[in-house]
Amino acid sequence: MGFGLMDQLYDFINLIWELLRSRAALEMTRPQIAILGGGIFVRTQYIPRLREITDIVALKTIWSRSEGSAKAAAELARDFSPEIECKWGDAGLDDIIQDNSIHGVAVVLAGQTQVDISLKMLKAGKHVLQEKPAASTVSEAEAALSCYNSLCTNVPRQPIWAVAENYRFEPAFVESRKLINDIGDMMSVQVIVEGSMNSSNPYFSSSWRRGFTGGFILDMGVHYIAGLRMVVGSEVTSVSAISSHVDKTLPPPDNISALFQLENGCHGVFAMIVSSRSPKINWRVVGSKGTVQVERGNIDGRHGYLVSFYSTDGKCQTNFYPFSGVNEELKAFVHDMLQAEQAGALFEAEPRSSFIEGARDIAVLEAMLESGIKHGAQVHVKKL
Ligand SMILES: *[C@@H]1O[C@H](CO)[C@@H](O)[C@H](O)[C@H]1NC(C)=O
Ligand SMILES: *[C@@H]1O[C@H](CO)[C@@H](O)[C@H](O)[C@H]1NC(C)=O
């Protein structure tokens, strides 16, 4: 406490300053977002996950192409976001672009339209969390990246462009990446995916996936490639694959077997069956001093991954990690939005959700699909 007049004045100015600062901080401690999309994933994942983190992020608006779908999705969020707004059609999208109180958007739309809409939002200065796949093709991803990079030179601060693929945030993969340091020389990698995409699956009839080049192999495959790249910590450089179309109720191909070469000199196999009767998803990395395995499983009704480490003495230690990638990834995006506001241009967004990481997963699958069409000819993976 000061006694002189100057001291009192100084205290007073400090008080006002603190008040202004805390008010500004309060406004930005809970960024507001809009969801673009009203489909299954919004209703079953985004809304429930956002409900769990209302202390850090507010859902202001839900937009969908049609009024009915926007309203139906918004109703599901009304309990934690009583003032939620519904927007639809082109006019609704423009409203969101104009609304400066919306800091970020989640783009959860058909794979074919996501990149265009994301770029539109980024140009408007909004941070974007776009659902996977990052793009439909590598060339679309490259064009989008150059557009995004040129955009950054025209705006005062770079908006974040994150792609939601969640696997890089799963604790099981984060842990496996560490265990790989103890396996000695990496000798072989196996990724086996027997999916269960049949008419009982809510995504089975999704029309955009049926019109997507690469079908479910590309749409679902990005996750398994993300898991592979994360665990081995090395890039896939070339592939050779055989693919087939067996189940005619699914878009082609539904079945692929690939050999791949890694940058670190190791090689491996990737086999993916879209619809099997014996679901199994597993990554296995064999080294000279140990083996790491990540396998989808469930314990006490909780779904997640079993991570096993086999050491040279024949012992195996297994830990279970329940799914939490979607939550972790959403939290990282919110955290990044806050950082971007506070640190401006100096700040770097979470690399695990960067657009380029998502594009690299596409590049590996695109090479496999191309090799499949060429009956197994070796194809180099486009370096991004
Ligand atoms: C995958 O392709 C192979 C070879 O064409 C075929 O024998 C097998 O039945 C297919 N599996 C499934 C589940 O579609
Ligand atoms: C779809 O696959 C699941 C898991 O394998 C199985 O339980 C279910 O019966 C299958 N449904 C159809 C219609 O084949």
Side-chain angles (χ1 to χ4, degrees), residues 195-201 275-279:
S196 54
M197 181 52 70
N198 56 34
S199 54
S200 316
N201 189 297
S275 178
S276 94
R277 275 287 175 181
S278 45

Side-chain angles (χ1 to χ4, degrees), residues 90 93-94 97 115-125:
D90 290 337
L93 211 52
D94 284 339
I97 287 174
V115 169
D116 277 350
I117 302 249
S118 292
L119 285 170
K120 212 176 196 168
M121 293 294 147
L122 291 162
K123 281 179 193 153

Side-chain angles (χ1 to χ4, degrees), residues 88-105:
W88 55 90
D90 290 337
L93 211 52
D94 284 339
D95 289 347
I96 290 176
I97 287 174
Q98 304 297 334
D99 186 341
N100 287 330
S101 74
I102 295 176
H103 305 102
V105 295

Side-chain angles (χ1 to χ4, degrees), residues 244 246-247 254-255 273 275-276:
S244 59
V246 179
D247 184 343
D254 61 332
N255 204 323
I273 295 118
S275 178
S276 94

